[in-house]
Amino acid sequence: MNSNYKNLLSPFTFPVSGIKIASRTVMAPMTTFSGNEDGTTNDAEVAYYRERNESAGLLITACAYVIRHGKGFHGQIGADSDELIPSLRRIADAMKANGNKAVLQIYHGGRMSPPEELVDGQSLCASAVAAEREGAAVPREMTVTEIEETIVAFGEATRRAIEAGFNGVEIHGANTYLLQQFFSPHSNRRTDKWGGDLIKRMTFPLAVVDAVKKAVALSAHPFLVGYRISPEEMENPGIKMDDTLALVEALSKKKLDYLHVSVMDFWAGSMRDQKDTVARALKIVEKVGHILPVIGVGGAHTPEDVERILAAKISSVAMGRELLMEPHWLTKVKNNEVDQIITELDVNTQELLNIPTPLWNGLMSRSGWMPMKK
Ligand SMILES: Cc1cc2nc3c(=O)[nH]c(=O)nc-3n(C[C@H](O)[C@H](O)[C@H](O)COP(=O)(O)O)c2cc1C
């Protein structure tokens, strides 16, 4: 065992479920674009997860839609019907095969759903306000019935995750998708109980948390519930850090196992206020870290990067892109093979890395996504 990285190699017990992970590292949720049209997984995607099942102590899946109308990506897996439980089980089994813990990320795309992925071509949102992106479709405002159905769907997806053998769910409240859209003053202009001031804009995300927790309470097994947030939005009006601090305070009263702060660079300060250079996750830890463990993410590659973040009272550190290019990250740290950790993607190694072709093509087509080996 490598004694240089004591923090990252130490176990962590989540406070509510009591579930223990053997290392304070996390595989970040990453969409693979590689599932089947009917929302099931396939051999290539399962092999991708199996390859990475020793990459970190906690392994989070790509986001899975909880209701067909929330599908956000081509090749996305679903958790919206009981028929998909065997497929979800294949992923959970592959992830857990070496003793690490598996979490299903549950999701609704809202206005970010590409119309061509939806049965009727019409995306939904809190309000009929298009995202500020070129060519963004104008969503339809959700009816109260649709809101209530979606809340139920998050609870049902949780039940399926439990039945499929996952150790937990992560509620995707980040990255501009539906839960964030309800919290955002940009996309939520409602005047009923689901919108309005800051507190009223929390109503939908908090109702989703309650539905998920209710499903968990019905299970006899310990089961993790985490929540992912994006701390800020660029839009005006848009989510500001103070809004987020109020949201995390409300979330901290919901008996969650963790909060996952989604940013691309952990140490970056505010994207709305250049003068504010304090890492946003640190402000969140300051506010709620004593009751709600915070997972940090964004730009960690080496064990030194992870240790530096852990030293800032972050409970565990997630890595996304790094574990695409280095599926055996944690094993190499444990075995004193840190100098062999790959931190640049070699364009000839798709097969070796067991990366399904749609994800691989995505990585190849977006310059700047990954450090590439020249
Ligand atoms: C290919 C790819 C797919 C992603 N898909 C998801 C996703 O399904 N859900 C999510 O919350 N974040 C997703 N993310 C964001 C990552 O979880 C992570 O927050 C981000 O990549 C920053 O961490 P990193 O610097 O360690 O890669 C994705 C990132 C990448 C690169």
Side-chain angles (χ1 to χ4, degrees), residues 131-344:
E132 286 183 11
R133 296 194 184 181
E134 214 180 296
V138 179
R140 176 170 64 70
E141 178 176 299
M142 288 170 84
T143 64
V144 169
T145 306
E146 284 167 337
I147 293 173
E148 289 166 353
E149 280 169 3
T150 304
I151 293 166
V152 170
F154 272 94
E156 283 289 277
T158 303
R159 174 183 60 77
R160 293 182 193 110
I162 295 169
E163 288 181 28
F166 280 98
N167 303 106
V169 288
E170 177 173 284
I171 301 167
H172 198 341
N175 301 0
T176 75
Y177 300 119
L178 187 69
L179 271 71
Q180 184 177 327
Q181 291 162 28
F182 267 86
F183 183 53
S184 166
H186 186 273
S187 36
N188 188 346
R189 314 271 171 111
R190 299 179 77 98
T191 53
D192 60 5
K193 77 170 216 185
W194 302 103
D197 62 16
L198 178 69
I199 301 296
K200 288 176 99 183
R201 282 185 275 109
M202 292 180 197
T203 311
F204 176 73
L206 295 179
V208 166
V209 172
D210 289 342
V212 166
K213 293 286 299 179
K214 209 166 138 193
V216 173
L218 294 173
S219 160
H221 301 291
F223 194 79
L224 282 163
V225 181
Y227 192 101
R228 196 168 217 222
I229 56 159
S230 289
E232 292 179 296
E233 286 178 342
M234 282 307 282
E235 291 85 353
N236 277 311
I239 298 170
K240 298 184 181 137
M241 206 55 217
D242 282 348
D243 303 335
T244 290
L245 292 176
L247 175 63
V248 299
E249 186 159 27
L251 288 169
S252 73
K253 297 186 177 124
K254 292 286 180 190
K255 294 203 175 345
L256 294 168
D257 277 297
Y258 70 82
L259 190 70
H260 192 171
V261 182
S262 177
V263 292
M264 289 307 275
D265 174 1
F266 178 86
W267 294 104
S270 170
M271 62 181 193
R272 296 184 65 100
D273 176 2
Q274 301 291 305
K275 290 191 289 294
D276 183 353
T277 55
V278 178
R280 291 157 289 176
L282 299 187
K283 293 188 176 183
I284 292 168
V285 169
E286 180 87 19
K287 185 90 182 172
V288 296
H290 57 295
I291 19 179
L292 186 54
V294 173
I295 296 182
V297 72
H301 294 280
T302 65
E304 284 75 16
D305 294 339
V306 172
E307 287 284 335
R308 183 168 167 236
I309 296 173
L310 289 174
K313 292 193 188 147
I314 294 290
S315 74
S316 39
V317 177
M319 287 168 282
R321 291 164 291 181
E322 177 55 35
L323 303 190
L324 292 179
M325 41 191 174
E326 180 49 271
H328 304 287
W329 195 94
L330 187 57
T331 311
K332 289 187 177 173
V333 176
K334 281 182 187 164
N335 294 347
N336 270 313
E337 294 165 353
V338 169
D339 54 341
Q340 287 169 46
I341 290 178
I342 295 162
T343 53
E344 285 179 325

